[in-house]
Amino acid sequence: MTKGAKPEISIIIPCFDAEKTIINTLDSINAQTYRNFEVIIVNDGSKDESEWKIKRYICENPSIKIDYFFQNNQGVSVARNEGIKRACGKYIAFIDADDLYHPQFLEILYSALVRKNIDIACCRYRIVGLDDCFGKETQKTGVDAVKSKEDILDKYIHKRKNRFSFFGAIYKKKIIEDNKLLFPTDIRFGEDTEFVCKYLVHCRNGGVFLEKELYGYLRHGQSVMHGMCDWTRTDNLKAVKNVIDYWTKNSACTDFAEYMFSRALWACAKDFSIEDRRLFRELQNKYNLEHAMKVMARCGDEVSIRVSALAFLIDKRLFRILITGYVKKGGLIT
């Protein structure tokens, strides 16, 4: 980006104890073929060497605009919201401090947004390891047909099947600001789902979903989704309820509501059945798991989900045995 020029895209990175990964993340941003961007890093109270590494990187790489801010630990949603408030770009992208961009991530998605005059451009993600990086393979910049906001939402609702993460998209800042869209700060899980599903309500110009793996998602034991199993995992159910209420309030299509809630319930049941049977029983007492499993047995977007839901309806012990087996084999992680 030319010195003094206003960035077209703001990339927001929340950071917490990411000393082992943040440099790889920044390198993947620095390798972007599209250059008119700024980076906003919000350090959420890291206690490791993240700050030192970030500041050194900024000094050693003056060619990219990086704004760095430190806040006391308040959670990833507060950090992302702070990044949104500080963003100068017309468009906003997100990346976690342990993930990677393909070198053409910005180029391809931004090109789609501008050429098609749409409200969101999305891509697939791939799973990466700590030592992985995207190769030099060049992706064609051709753009798929524009889809309605309902079609994009359908892709996101079945996000595991489509490998669609909220990170794998570029958003219009104007839509975020005009509709006061921020990440909810009262939940730990599902905050990204709530943000995306509310944003899509306002995508009147539709969007594109590109069948290209342009985002690298690091799966490892230190991520928030692999922490201690407790009742806060049901926050995802709160997020889905918030989304459904928002859809209703804004006269949006709610056809996905039953599937979304059932899928979230299945995920909680999966985690609790393995890690805490007391919570598994509490979940059964508080929610209609039987109905959710019937929906998943009929509509689950993965065979393993449909089979496990059928097992639950036959015998809950069989459900637990199957789920444990799937997880040991590396499946059904999220």
Side-chain angles (χ1 to χ4, degrees):
M1 186 177 73
T2 305
K3 188 174 182 180
K6 185 175 181 180
E8 191 75 353
I9 303 171
S10 297
I11 302 170
I12 296 170
I13 310 177
C15 173
F16 177 75
D17 286 355
E19 63 178 7
K20 295 180 180 179
T21 59
I22 185 63
I23 299 305
N24 284 345
T25 299
L26 291 173
D27 279 344
S28 78
I29 294 172
N30 202 7
Q32 291 300 294
T33 54
Y34 179 84
R35 304 302 297 175
N36 191 10
F37 64 82
E38 67 173 352
V39 180
I40 300 171
I41 303 174
V42 182
N43 187 340
D44 187 39
S46 295
K47 295 179 175 61
D48 63 0
E49 297 294 325
S50 294
E51 179 168 71
W52 178 80
K53 289 195 171 187
I54 291 167
K55 288 184 175 180
R56 186 179 70 175
Y57 193 92
I58 292 171
C59 291
E60 293 175 351
N61 295 273
S63 62
I64 60 173
K65 183 178 186 296
I66 302 178
D67 289 331
Y68 172 76
F69 305 95
F70 183 93
Q71 66 177 30
N72 293 328
N73 182 245
Q74 299 175 69
V76 67
S77 289
V78 174
R80 288 180 187 141
N81 291 342
E82 186 63 25
I84 291 172
K85 293 174 186 176
R86 294 178 179 273
C88 296
K90 185 177 179 181
Y91 300 94
I92 289 180
F94 299 93
I95 186 171
D96 265 357
D98 53 4
D99 292 344
L100 304 172
Y101 280 159
H102 181 281
Q104 291 176 277
F105 176 87
L106 294 180
E107 177 192 356
I108 291 176
L109 295 187
Y110 175 75
S111 175
L113 283 164
V114 174
R115 288 165 54 191
K116 296 288 187 176
N117 189 30
I118 51 178
D119 294 328
I120 187 170
C122 324
C123 67
R124 291 166 61 88
Y125 67 82
R126 73 166 63 164
I127 303 298
V128 296
L130 278 170
D131 299 320
D132 290 344
C133 64
F134 278 103
K136 298 291 185 180
E137 71 274 16
T138 301
Q139 296 276 357
K140 294 181 180 179
T141 56
V143 176
D144 293 357
V146 174
K147 299 180 182 295
S148 68
K149 59 186 179 183
E150 289 81 12
D151 288 336
I152 298 293
L153 181 59
D154 181 70
K155 288 281 189 182
Y156 185 76
I157 297 307
H158 299 93
K159 56 187 176 182
R160 274 75 182 183
K161 175 183 177 181
N162 293 298
R163 294 213 164 185
F164 181 2
S165 161
F166 104 94
F167 295 108
I170 296 182
Y171 307 84
K172 281 186 175 178
K173 187 183 180 188
K174 188 175 190 306
I175 290 178
I176 294 172
E177 289 183 329
D178 288 353
N179 298 285
K180 298 179 173 59
L181 299 177
L182 293 172
F183 291 85
T185 58
D186 59 339
I187 60 176
R188 187 181 174 198
F189 298 97
E191 78 290 339
D192 51 354
T193 292
E194 185 169 333
F195 178 85
V196 173
C197 291
K198 287 181 176 181
Y199 180 91
L200 286 169
V201 168
H202 305 288
C203 292
R204 295 179 176 85
N205 295 327
V208 295
F209 180 81
L210 304 173
E211 298 290 340
K212 302 177 188 293
E213 294 180 344
L214 302 176
Y215 189 91
Y217 169 69
L218 179 67
R219 177 174 287 166
H220 61 88
Q222 293 180 347
S223 72
V224 67
M225 292 303 293
H226 296 83
M228 184 180 296
C229 181
D230 58 31
W231 192 250
T232 60
R233 295 209 178 185
T234 62
D235 281 355
N236 199 32
L237 301 174
K238 297 177 187 177
V240 172
K241 286 183 176 180
N242 290 342
V243 167
I244 295 169
D245 289 345
Y246 192 82
W247 286 348
T248 302
K249 180 181 177 181
N250 287 274
S251 301
C253 174
T254 57
D255 292 348
F256 301 104
E258 183 180 50
Y259 179 88
M260 279 187 71
F261 196 77
S262 297
R263 179 63 172 78
L265 262 178
W266 176 90
C268 289
K270 179 262 295 183
D271 291 339
F272 292 161
S273 69
I274 299 172
E275 302 181 47
D276 194 321
R277 295 184 188 180
R278 179 186 60 82
L279 292 178
F280 185 56
R281 290 192 295 271
E282 187 174 348
L283 191 72
Q284 293 178 75
N285 292 333
K286 189 166 183 177
Y287 296 98
N288 189 349
L289 268 182
E290 296 280 341
H291 176 74
M293 292 299 177
K294 287 178 181 177
V295 173
M296 286 296 97
R298 184 176 70 252
C299 305
D301 54 13
E302 298 174 49
V303 172
S304 52
I305 291 177
R306 296 196 295 273
V307 170
S308 66
L310 281 170
F312 179 95
L313 296 170
I314 295 169
D315 187 328
K316 297 176 183 60
R317 290 172 298 178
L318 179 59
F319 173 79
R320 186 166 59 249
I321 291 169
L322 277 176
I323 291 294
T324 302
Y326 284 137
V327 171
K328 284 182 178 178
K329 291 179 181 179
L332 296 178
I333 299 299
T334 56

